[in-house]
Amino acid sequence: MIRQLLILALCFVALQAMGVPMGNGDCGAEFKCPPNFHKSNRVNGVWCIKVYPGNMTWWEAERECRCTIKGGHLSGIESNSEKRYVEEQTLSILDDKNIKNGAVWLGAYRRKECPSGKVSSDSICHDEKTFQFTDQHTCKTLIFQDWAANQPTNNAGDDCAVLLASTEASGSNSEASGKAAVKNCLHVQGTTPILSSVGFVCGVKAAQEGGNYGGYGGGDFMVIGAAKPKH
């Protein structure tokens, strides 16, 4: 009997050390985001996003997300509420910089079946499916159902997605505000002012009380798309 009790005690300690939940203590626990992050209830669970200012390439923005918040990555947009939040935050960045137009990088990359600079016969390569999200959390294609005029472009290197923002009261830039576009992943400046990078959207998986944010798994960054951007 004593031996059995000792074995049970050792098993209990081992399970706790491995982080295996005991009982139903985690049931109903609240999911929380890091400070100043926007919390969103998604198909894949609770997700946290924040728009950061910064003039940098797509790759630099991805690295900045990873360095700023553990488990963080450039984020996609799954709902209209997320899109409104990102646009509003980007407009605030424009006001702070005293400029009228700009774009923020999203965690979205061109599919390998749809290489830029070429015409693909693959049936998946149409406006809504040409790009896919790189954060391994965003579902749906809402953001790619409402491209800005003359987007998505197919110039060689136009492999990364952005969300546009403009404080102009009228005109083409105003109409493009809050819509998706694509640009060269390694270019900070755009072919027009509204395509110039002014920030990026970071996302991270929400944590339960007492837990850690993230859950991406770490390791080398994997890009879902034509190729990994050079840096």
Side-chain angles (χ1 to χ4, degrees):
M1 172 65 80
I2 295 176
R3 182 180 179 184
Q4 290 176 328
L5 290 173
L6 287 173
I7 292 173
L8 287 172
L10 288 172
C11 289
F12 179 81
V13 171
L15 288 171
Q16 282 193 319
M18 293 168 60
V20 177
M22 305 300 294
N24 61 354
D26 287 341
C27 295
E30 181 182 358
F31 284 90
K32 293 188 175 182
C33 288
N36 301 317
F37 272 68
H38 174 80
K39 184 165 72 172
S40 181
N41 293 314
R42 288 182 164 190
V43 173
N44 284 331
V46 183
W47 186 247
C48 312
I49 59 174
K50 182 177 179 179
V51 181
Y52 287 92
N55 303 99
M56 58 187 70
T57 66
W58 187 86
W59 175 258
E60 290 169 338
E62 167 62 28
R63 183 171 55 195
E64 191 70 16
C65 284
R66 297 183 70 176
C67 293
T68 301
I69 183 73
K70 183 178 180 180
H73 289 272
L74 282 175
S75 176
I77 293 176
E78 187 169 296
S79 65
N80 280 314
S81 62
E82 289 183 12
K83 186 172 73 168
R84 284 193 298 271
Y85 165 78
V86 172
E87 183 183 10
E88 289 170 358
Q89 294 298 304
T90 307
L91 292 174
S92 294
I93 292 174
L94 296 179
D95 286 338
D96 291 342
K97 291 178 174 288
N98 197 29
I99 56 178
K100 293 185 176 182
N101 302 290
V104 288
W105 293 113
L106 302 176
Y109 199 77
R110 188 181 293 270
R111 291 179 183 272
K112 63 181 180 181
E113 298 89 351
C114 317
S116 59
K118 299 179 181 180
V119 177
S120 175
S121 59
D122 196 305
S123 60
I124 201 172
C125 299
H126 56 82
D127 288 358
E128 188 177 336
K129 295 288 188 178
T130 299
F131 286 74
Q132 62 185 141
F133 299 109
T134 59
D135 56 31
Q136 295 191 354
H137 194 278
T138 306
C139 294
K140 304 180 181 180
T141 57
L142 177 144
I143 191 68
F144 301 134
Q145 296 172 18
D146 190 24
W147 291 98
N150 302 315
Q151 291 284 343
T153 53
N154 192 36
N155 302 314
D158 285 356
D159 294 324
C160 293
V162 295
L163 190 78
L164 306 177
S166 175
T167 61
E168 294 182 12
S170 60
S172 59
N173 287 336
S174 177
E175 293 173 358
S177 188
K179 296 185 178 182
V182 301
K183 60 178 291 185
N184 192 302
C185 307
L186 303 179
H187 291 176
V188 176
Q189 299 302 316
T191 52
T192 61
I194 199 170
L195 278 169
S196 293
S197 171
V198 297
F200 49 95
V201 185
C202 283
V204 67
K205 188 177 179 181
Q208 286 185 308
E209 188 73 35
N212 295 319
Y213 301 112
Y216 193 89
D220 291 337
F221 172 57
M222 298 296 293
V223 173
I224 305 171
K228 180 177 178 178
K230 297 178 181 178
H231 62 285

